[in-house]
Structures are given as structure tokens and as C-alpha cells.
Amino acid sequence: MVRLKIPATSANIGPGFDSIGLAVNLYNTVTMEEWDSCVIESLDGVAVPCDENNLIYSTARQLYQLCGVPFRGLKIGQVNHIPFARGLGSSSACVIGGLKGANTLMGKPVSDNELINLAASVEGHPDNSTPALLGGLVTAVLDQNKVYYVKQEIKNDLHFVAIIPDFELKTSQARAVLPDSVPRQVGVFNLSRAALMSVSLYSGNYQNLRIAADDQLHQPYRLKLIPNGQWVMENCYNLGAYAAFISGAGSTLMAIVDAKRIDFGDCILRRLHEQGLNGWQVRTLSIDNTGTQIEEEQA
Ligand code: HSE
């Protein structure tokens, strides 16, 4: 039996569409053992698919098949603290849980680098799946099924305040509204800011983050799918955030704030309530520089 803890992730960080992401200290846990059939248990009562379509199960089975190892079935237990379809990497956590769990049960025939490539090919983009496995801040390129990446640990002097709406936004829907091509100046706008974002976070030049978090590639289109999203971002800046952006494909908005600003989460929650947004949640999170952890492993 293997027990895993997989972090939530925040992809894009504004301009780094499909290429930059980081892991935060909000976790799903997965227990997995070989079994004679498919058994899926939701250990916290969150509704999950309990058949072979379960993403953890199907990804694990795929790895057994790729490795040529006979597959009977699996018993999986899930605890889902990462909310579904909110831009916090819940699907990636399932994919990484499935791959890392299966690989561990098989005696680790596959390297982490190969798991990263497989996860990106299942997920389609590496900016959630790679930090979910490795933790930290990851800058990644997916080229012909291979992920080229750098993981950087970042200092623990920031908070990542997740402002989570009471509605889901499917990644497919949030990608469908994006234009197929953009003018060259949009390319330059984004690539310069994505580079600045990655290096400013790593080096601690947080005064750059506001300009670095700006984006013309996806946020202007996606904000139309997130009622009050623009208002939330403006309020984050009014309250002194270094940066505010759509987390992944949304619907969550993420603020980066100085960790000394311990009142930030309460302040933004109060404003949400004043605005009548009573179903929204605020989670004050920190960087996870460790990534997926195997908490327990038994033969
Ligand atoms: N980079 C992806 C997107 C993240 O923004 O669509 C979602 O997994």
C-alpha cells in the first residue's frame, strides 16, 4: 500500500500561459494498493467517480500497461482538499497521484522525469502537473511529448491568497474562448512579462510582480467568464497585493502578498461579503517546495 500527498498548483501566474506554475500547501491525499477489482473510496465524502473512469485509477492503469506489468485492479482512497474545476490543479493532482502511486507499487521502474513527460501528455500542459510532482516554481516547455523545465525553490516570505468563487469553470470552456492567433505586440507583451515573473519570484524582486503579472493572452477573455473577477483583482491591488491573476484557467483569483500581511485574507473576505459574494472562500497559502510526498509505503 502506498500513501501520497499531492499539492495544489497555480498555473500561468499571469503571463506564463501553459508554461509557468507553482505548488502551494493545499493537498489531496491518495492511498493505493493492488486489488482484484476497481474499488474507489472517497474518504472525505467528496463526490468522485467510483468506477474505472476515475482519473487516478485510469492514469495508474495506463502506467501499468505502459510498463507491461499485469494489471488486476486497484483499491484507491481519496481525500480531496483541492476544489474541483477552480484553477488549483485538481486534475493534475489526480494524474500525478495515479502515476506516482502506480510507479511506487510497481517498484519504481519509471524515473520522475519520465513521469513528468507522461503527466504532461495526459494533462496537455505541463504548468500544473510538473510543480504538482516537484513542488516549487516551475518554468516548463512541452515539446514533442517531452517537458524541458527548471524547478526553483522560492523563499517562504510570500503568501498566495486563493480567492475561490462558488462556481466551477472547466478548463475546456476557459480555453475555448481564447483567440487562435494574436498580434506580435501581444506576444512581446506576454513573453517579456513571463520572463520577468519567473526571475522576479525566484530572486525576490517582488516590486516587479505587479507589472510582471499582467497578461493579454488569456485573462482578458477568461475574466468575462468569472463574474466579479476583475473587481476582486482590483481590490487585491487596493489592499496592497504584489500581484493578482487568474489561477490556472480559473475560476480562482490568486493574490501574491507579503507574508507579513497576515490580515490580507480577512480583509479581502470582508470585501467579498460586503459585495454579497458570501459563497466565496479565501485560503491563505504558502509555497510548497517539496512536491508530491510518499507518506507511507508498504510491501
Ligand atoms: N495553462 C492552463 C490553462 C492551465 O491556462 O489553460 C490549466 O490546466
Side-chain angles (χ1 to χ4, degrees), residues 11-12 16-20 87 89 92 123 125 127-128 171 174-175 178 218 222 248-250:
N12 302 328
F17 182 70
D18 282 357
S19 57
I20 307 179
S92 281
E123 263 287 289
H125 11 85
D127 48 341
N128 280 126
T171 299
R175 291 181 85 85
L178 305 182
H218 67 109
R222 289 173 163 177

Side-chain angles (χ1 to χ4, degrees), residues 47-294:
V48 296
C50 286
D51 57 16
E52 298 195 354
N53 293 319
N54 178 286
L55 189 53
I56 302 173
Y57 188 91
S58 60
T59 314
R61 183 181 52 201
Q62 206 178 328
L63 191 64
Y64 269 79
Q65 286 163 350
L66 267 173
C67 293
V69 175
F71 181 81
R72 294 179 294 132
L74 292 170
K75 182 177 182 185
I76 290 173
Q78 298 181 231
V79 176
N80 290 288
H81 290 310
I82 309 172
F84 292 120
R86 299 298 207 289
L88 289 166
S90 63
S91 307
S92 281
C94 290
V95 169
I96 293 296
L99 290 175
K100 190 81 178 170
N103 196 42
T104 308
L105 289 177
M106 288 188 290
K108 303 183 186 155
V110 181
S111 69
D112 270 357
N113 271 347
E114 207 43 51
L115 293 181
I116 284 168
N117 295 337
L118 288 167
S121 69
V122 175
E123 263 287 289
H125 11 85
D127 48 341
N128 280 126
S129 50
T130 315
L133 183 63
L134 300 178
L137 169 70
V138 171
T139 307
V141 171
L142 177 61
D143 187 271
Q144 297 186 9
N145 297 323
K146 182 168 160 54
V147 180
Y148 299 82
Y149 68 89
V150 171
K151 170 202 166 177
Q152 293 158 309
E153 296 195 2
I154 65 171
K155 284 191 231 121
N156 210 2
D157 53 1
L158 294 173
H159 279 158
F160 297 87
V161 181
I163 302 145
I164 308 170
D166 54 3
F167 53 88
E168 298 185 352
L169 180 54
K170 297 253 183 288
T171 299
S172 52
Q173 189 192 349
R175 291 181 85 85
V177 297
L178 305 182
D180 289 333
S181 59
V182 294
R184 180 173 60 195
Q185 61 267 30
V186 171
V188 173
F189 186 98
N190 264 68
L191 70 86
S192 54
R193 282 166 177 76
L196 189 66
M197 173 56 78
S198 182
V199 77
S200 298
L201 271 178
Y202 175 62
S203 63
N205 282 276
Y206 303 142
Q207 75 284 356
N208 287 338
L209 294 184
R210 182 168 187 161
I211 199 82
D214 211 354
D215 160 79
Q216 293 183 347
L217 211 47
H218 67 109
Q219 293 193 162
Y221 308 97
R222 289 173 163 177
L223 278 172
K224 294 184 183 137
L225 304 176
I226 307 174
N228 296 293
Q230 183 71 46
W231 177 89
V232 167
M233 284 171 52
E234 283 162 14
N235 274 271
C236 288
Y237 282 121
N238 290 341
L239 288 168
Y242 286 130
F245 52 89
I246 299 175
S247 183
S251 55
T252 292
L253 293 313
M254 187 71 88
I256 305 180
V257 303
D258 193 307
K260 291 201 276 297
R261 282 290 317 276
I262 51 171
D263 61 328
F264 187 93
D266 287 342
C267 291
I268 196 74
L269 188 62
R270 199 172 313 125
R271 290 200 182 185
L272 290 170
H273 287 168
E274 285 163 7
Q275 183 80 350
L277 302 175
N278 297 311
W280 291 43
Q281 288 181 33
V282 174
R283 301 290 307 258
T284 299
L285 304 168
S286 302
I287 190 76
D288 174 303
N289 281 314
T290 308
T292 295
Q293 294 177 59
I294 300 174

